[in-house]
Amino acid sequence: MDCDIRLCDSLCCRNCAVLTGEEVAELIAKVKKEYALELDPKKYFRKAKGEQGTYFAAKMIKGQCIFLNKEKRCRIYRCRPTLCELYPVIDVDAVDERCPAVGKNKLPADMLAALKKRYSEEIDDRIKLEQVFKFI
Ligand code: SF4
Ligand code: SF4
């Protein structure tokens, strides 16, 4: 997707992508392989409790994801969580209307449909069921 981050100030990186414990372990292994970066889980992730279980989310620093650099780019882009890849799709049938790429049919319908399909197939079923996450 073509993003002009001057329009949105990387809005999507001010939301927390929630991951299962297994997904965090996979992400850490991928980042080590791709970027030769050792992520200490305690330093980079915080816990999020839901009704179905306990999850993890990237820590936020001054209202933005810990992985966002000064240029508002993701430092682990090639390994970013699936929820980050699927944005602006934020649920099986919901998009974040605040994303400038969504308005006035800027996002082609086939691309949107593909993202929603991926959401339904790839996002953990427990996460899909959660209504609210309590960060601890
Ligand atoms: S992991 Fe990367 S893409 Fe996802 S919210 Fe953080 S900075 Fe943005
Ligand atoms: S997906 Fe939307 S909010 Fe995120 S960088 Fe692109 S235009 Fe901005």
Side-chain angles (χ1 to χ4, degrees):
M1 193 160 72
D2 274 341
C3 296
D4 183 349
I5 59 171
R6 288 167 305 177
L7 294 178
C8 64
D9 203 21
S10 296
L11 171 76
C12 48
C13 300
R14 283 183 262 138
N15 292 331
C16 276
V18 176
L19 302 134
T20 64
E22 299 81 41
E23 287 168 338
V24 169
E26 275 172 34
L27 186 149
I28 288 172
K30 274 200 235 167
V31 167
K32 186 174 178 185
K33 198 168 165 217
E34 279 280 325
Y35 294 95
L37 195 62
E38 293 268 4
L39 296 180
D40 174 356
K42 286 201 176 84
K43 183 174 169 196
Y44 287 93
F45 296 93
R46 58 187 174 146
K47 282 187 181 171
K49 263 195 181 294
E51 288 201 338
Q52 313 293 321
T54 301
Y55 311 92
F56 297 86
K59 281 192 181 173
M60 304 292 280
I61 308 272
K62 293 183 183 167
Q64 63 183 33
C65 177
I66 194 168
F67 294 115
L68 207 62
N69 67 15
K70 282 189 185 133
E71 290 74 41
K72 304 272 182 193
R73 303 277 177 192
C74 178
R75 289 191 286 141
I76 58 160
Y77 189 78
R78 295 193 299 278
C79 310
R80 68 200 186 286
T82 308
L83 278 171
C84 299
E85 279 184 48
L86 300 184
Y87 191 89
V89 168
I90 51 172
D91 208 335
V92 177
D93 204 17
V95 292
D96 191 342
E97 301 284 345
R98 298 170 306 160
C99 164
V102 170
K104 296 190 179 144
N105 299 323
K106 278 189 200 158
L107 199 60
D110 56 346
M111 186 189 280
L112 194 54
L115 290 175
K116 285 182 177 174
K117 185 167 182 282
R118 281 191 61 198
Y119 189 101
S120 122
E121 292 171 355
E122 296 176 32
I123 298 304
D124 188 272
D125 287 336
R126 289 162 294 172
I127 290 178
K128 281 190 209 134
L129 286 171
E130 300 292 2
Q131 300 293 319
V132 180
F133 294 102
K134 187 177 168 203
F135 292 97
I136 48 178

